[in-house]
Amino acid sequence: MRKVKLGRTDIEVSEICLGSMTWGSQDSEENGHAQLDYALERGVDFIDTAEMYPVNPVSKDTVGRTEEIIGNWLARTGKRQDVILATKITGEGGAAREGAAITGPAIRACVEDSLRRLQSDYIDLYQFHWPNRGSYHFRKTWSFAPDRQPAKSGIRANMVECLETLGALVREGKLRAFGLSNESAWGTAQFLELAEAGHGPRVASIQNEYSLMCRYYDLDLAELGVQEDVTLLAYSPLAAGILSGQYSGGAVPAGSRMAANGNLGGRANPRAFEIADLYVRIARDHGLDPITMAIAFTLDRPFPCLPIIGGRSVAQIGASIDAAGLVLSADVKEAIAKVHHDHPMPF
């Protein structure tokens, strides 16, 4: 398992990250712990969670449960020094904290709550789950309205307050690095500029959706990632399981994410399943597991990128971890490029 650095920090992580968002809802604590044990055995030492988790469904009654599950594993195994732990504070309008915005005081309170639930003295990577001003992520592309955002001066004042709070928490030893999630190129650039001016820690990473079927990042954010050394943490690299092939022909396997969340977060539409089948066919025509090929694709991007994997079982995450070190052939890459060119952005 290759190790990579997060942004310009000195934090080295496995090139594959283990996600945890269904632990405590769709998946039990025992299942989460089994995945942690297995992933670490396979060399995956980077774990991602959030104060809002679990999802499927998102509920204010379960906020923090996934962090507690991870904290119990850390307490049981004593392996805090063996893993790199990332978590998030929810942006304005979320299920946590009655939908309150990200502010300096909120960050400090939420860090303390996450540390308690995680049973840890520090967090390696602390991320903003989405910006207060909203974003085009989560299938909001068609309703995103930048002209209705707050004034730039107010946005930057909030960013300064947040960065200064993060800087204080870094100095106190409670945080190591800072990352964004569901952000835009403009928002990321603002944070980078303010950090350069001395207001707080530099953005190390950005956690946005990215897969064979979701390629917004390829354009402006990819250029920013290369020029500014910001690492993409690609969530939903299997397009919520669509790229696994398990939903081909209209199938909805019992216990699948689609069985719990019928529209797969807005991704489930006939065109998406038809396009996914084209990618699945490429994998099978070349003797590859469709899951492994989809994850390997994210590891082969021309910008800093690592995937956040997830699954309902150890067996499911095993196929994703198999992508570590896999080099896709020129024929596979050419076939992928053709499908993307002919069928871009299915959701």
Side-chain angles (χ1 to χ4, degrees), residues 241-307:
I242 298 176
L243 285 164
S244 70
Q246 66 178 315
Y247 302 122
S248 294
V252 183
S256 67
R257 185 170 175 184
M258 193 169 178
N261 176 355
N263 71 356
L264 295 175
R267 301 175 183 87
N269 66 71
R271 180 169 173 264
F273 293 117
E274 290 170 4
I275 295 170
D277 283 347
L278 298 177
Y279 287 115
V280 169
R281 189 177 307 147
I282 292 170
R284 291 179 174 156
D285 285 349
H286 290 83
L288 298 169
D289 186 307
I291 292 173
T292 307
M293 185 189 80
I295 300 301
F297 165 80
T298 66
L299 291 168
D300 187 46
R301 307 318 297 138
F303 47 81
C305 178
L306 63 87

Side-chain angles (χ1 to χ4, degrees), residues 2 15 46 60 83 90 114 119 125 152 163 209 248 252 255 276 280 298-299 346:
R2 186 171 62 100
E15 65 177 332
F46 190 18
K60 66 179 182 180
V83 297
T90 303
S114 288
Q119 302 186 55
L125 177 67
K152 176 180 176 179
L163 284 172
E209 182 170 358
S248 294
V252 183
V280 169
T298 66
L299 291 168

Side-chain angles (χ1 to χ4, degrees), residues 103-274:
T103 63
I107 291 168
R108 181 166 285 280
C110 289
V111 165
E112 296 295 346
D113 286 344
S114 288
L115 289 172
R116 174 179 50 79
R117 290 190 290 258
L118 292 166
Q119 302 186 55
S120 177
D121 295 329
Y122 66 97
I123 295 162
D124 294 291
L125 177 67
Y126 198 65
Q127 305 157 98
F128 292 176
H129 212 144
W130 61 82
N132 293 326
R133 66 187 190 280
S135 79
Y136 55 78
H137 300 278
F138 308 119
R139 250 54 55 206
K140 295 179 180 178
T141 309
W142 312 116
S143 60
F144 181 59
D147 59 322
R148 294 202 295 269
Q149 291 180 354
K152 176 180 176 179
S153 60
I155 295 172
R156 282 173 63 94
N158 171 260
M159 289 177 171
V160 168
E161 176 186 300
C162 292
L163 284 172
E164 289 177 347
T165 301
L166 291 167
L169 289 163
V170 169
R171 291 189 294 274
E172 292 166 24
K174 295 178 179 178
L175 303 179
R176 296 181 65 197
F178 163 55
L180 298 169
S181 184
N182 297 297
E183 254 293 4
S184 66
W186 181 81
T188 307
Q190 297 302 300
F191 274 111
L192 289 166
E193 179 185 323
L194 292 169
E196 192 169 304
H199 291 291
R202 195 177 194 279
V203 175
S205 61
I206 179 169
Q207 184 176 149
N208 284 10
E209 182 170 358
Y210 188 79
S211 70
L212 285 163
M213 299 174 72
C214 185
R215 305 275 291 271
Y216 293 112
Y217 196 92
D218 281 344
L219 306 175
D220 290 350
L221 271 166
E223 181 181 28
L224 183 147
V226 170
Q227 298 293 347
E228 300 293 340
D229 300 313
V230 175
T231 304
L232 171 62
L233 309 183
Y235 75 77
S236 295
L238 298 178
I242 298 176
L243 285 164
S244 70
Q246 66 178 315
Y247 302 122
S248 294
V252 183
S256 67
R257 185 170 175 184
M258 193 169 178
N261 176 355
N263 71 356
L264 295 175
R267 301 175 183 87
N269 66 71
R271 180 169 173 264
F273 293 117
E274 290 170 4

Side-chain angles (χ1 to χ4, degrees), residues 11 16 18 42 44 53 65 108 112 187 208 246 248-249 255 286 295 341:
I11 300 175
I16 292 174
L18 178 64
R42 296 273 321 258
V44 175
Y53 293 166
R65 184 179 293 171
R108 181 166 285 280
E112 296 295 346
N208 284 10
Q246 66 178 315
S248 294
H286 290 83
I295 300 301
H341 183 273

